[in-house]
Amino acid sequence: MSRKKPAKTPRTGTPKAKATEPATKAAPADVAPVGPRPVRLTVAAALAAVEGLVLVGFGVYVLIMGLAGDPESPQQAETLGVTVLALALLPLLAARGLWLRRRWSRGPAMITQLMALPVAWTLVQNGGGLIIIGLLTAIAAVTVLGMLINPTATEALGIGPRDA
């Protein structure tokens, strides 16, 4: 003597109704949230852009010195210059994404800052004039990280609490 449960019916619409929706509708990740950009997000984007531009400058300098200067190993200098230029793309793209309030940009921006912290530590450990550069790098990285984990910035990027 078993009792059968009635079959569940869908509460909203039918699968046919979903198929008739326009295919040109933008995905939620592509649409920037409305409203003004928070200052924290603007500062994070600006600092990430400055970091990217500094990397571009260093990469160009190393390339020029590798080609025109008298390095110990021109091939290593040129390789380093090209590598630094390639690495400069990550903070520049992340800065652009943060500026445009794209939710994907938070991950690359945070990864860039986490990679900058060991670089800053190494610069500080080498002493001399590199201490100031290392401290500035660390301050910028910690500032951007702090700005990006702030709830105001996450909401502005369209990132909400995870569903359970």
Side-chain angles (χ1 to χ4, degrees), residues 46-56 88 91-92 109 112-113 116 137 140-141 144:
L47 284 174
V50 167
E51 290 171 343
L53 292 174
V54 167
L55 283 173
V56 167
L92 290 173
T112 302
Q113 305 316 311
T137 303
V144 173

Side-chain angles (χ1 to χ4, degrees), residues 94-108:
R96 184 176 187 275
L98 290 173
W99 185 262
L100 297 175
R101 294 174 42 174
R102 303 289 189 244
R103 74 185 306 170
W104 62 261
S105 62
R106 184 174 178 245

Side-chain angles (χ1 to χ4, degrees), residues 63-141:
L63 266 178
I64 290 171
M65 293 309 294
L67 295 172
D70 190 23
E72 203 170 292
S73 173
Q75 188 176 15
Q76 281 183 339
E78 294 162 13
T79 303
L80 175 64
V82 170
T83 302
V84 170
L85 286 174
L87 288 174
L89 289 176
L90 185 61
L92 290 173
L93 290 173
R96 184 176 187 275
L98 290 173
W99 185 262
L100 297 175
R101 294 174 42 174
R102 303 289 189 244
R103 74 185 306 170
W104 62 261
S105 62
R106 184 174 178 245
M110 292 183 76
I111 290 169
T112 302
Q113 305 316 311
L114 291 172
M115 289 179 357
L117 290 173
V119 171
W121 178 256
T122 303
L123 290 170
V124 168
Q125 294 298 312
N126 285 328
L130 296 177
I131 292 175
I132 294 171
I133 296 170
L135 288 175
L136 290 174
T137 303
I139 289 168

Side-chain angles (χ1 to χ4, degrees), residues 20-32:
T20 60
E21 289 181 13
T24 58
K25 192 174 181 182
D30 295 338
V31 178

Side-chain angles (χ1 to χ4, degrees), residues 8-22:
K8 290 186 178 180
T9 57
R11 292 183 186 181
T12 58
T14 62
K16 203 176 221 183
K18 289 182 180 179
T20 60
E21 289 181 13

